[in-house]
Amino acid sequence: MNVVFFLILAAWLEVGGDALVRHGLKQARWPSVALGALVLALYGLCVNLPRWDFGRLLGVYIAVFFVVSQFVAFWFFQERLKPATLVGGSLIVLGGLVLTFWRHS
C-alpha cells in the first residue's frame, strides 16, 4: 500500500466533499450537501488505511491536505496565495516532511 497515494486521495476526497457541502449550502441544494457528506465519509476511511501511528499519520496528512486545498483554491475558486499563506504553508509542509522522513524508533 502506497501511503502517499492514500493521503493524496484522502485530501482530494476531503476538499471535494467540503466543496460539495459549501456549494449545497450556498445554493440551497441539499442533494449536494448529502453527496458531500458521503464523500467526507470516504475521506475518513481512506485517510486511516495507512498503518502509521495516528499522530504521525494525521500530521503528514495535514501537509498533503494543505497542498491539495491550495491547488483547488487556485484552480477552482481563483484565489491567489497571499504571503502569509505561503510562509505558513511552507512551515506546514516542512513539518510534514520531518514527520515523513525522520526515522522513528
Side-chain angles (χ1 to χ4, degrees):
M1 165 173 28
N2 186 341
V3 173
V4 174
F5 169 78
F6 281 108
L7 294 180
I8 291 171
L9 178 60
W12 277 104
L13 289 169
E14 185 177 8
V15 171
D18 185 53
L20 284 166
V21 169
R22 182 182 195 93
H23 172 73
L25 291 174
K26 284 187 167 196
Q27 303 296 322
R29 297 190 179 180
W30 295 105
S32 181
V33 173
L35 181 59
L38 176 63
V39 171
L40 287 169
L42 291 173
Y43 138 76
L45 292 172
C46 190
V47 78
N48 286 291
L49 286 174
R51 300 268 184 221
W52 289 5
D53 63 280
F54 190 75
R56 180 178 179 215
L57 175 72
L58 272 280
V60 173
Y61 172 72
I62 288 167
V64 173
F65 175 80
F66 174 80
V67 171
V68 170
S69 66
Q70 296 312 306
F71 176 82
V72 169
F74 179 79
W75 286 103
F76 294 100
F77 297 112
Q78 289 74 48
E79 294 178 8
R80 302 291 180 235
L81 289 173
K82 295 180 174 65
T85 304
L86 287 170
V87 172
S90 297
L91 295 172
I92 292 168
V93 171
L94 180 61
L97 290 170
V98 168
L99 289 169
T100 299
F101 295 110
W102 189 306
R103 295 288 174 217
H104 297 273
S105 29

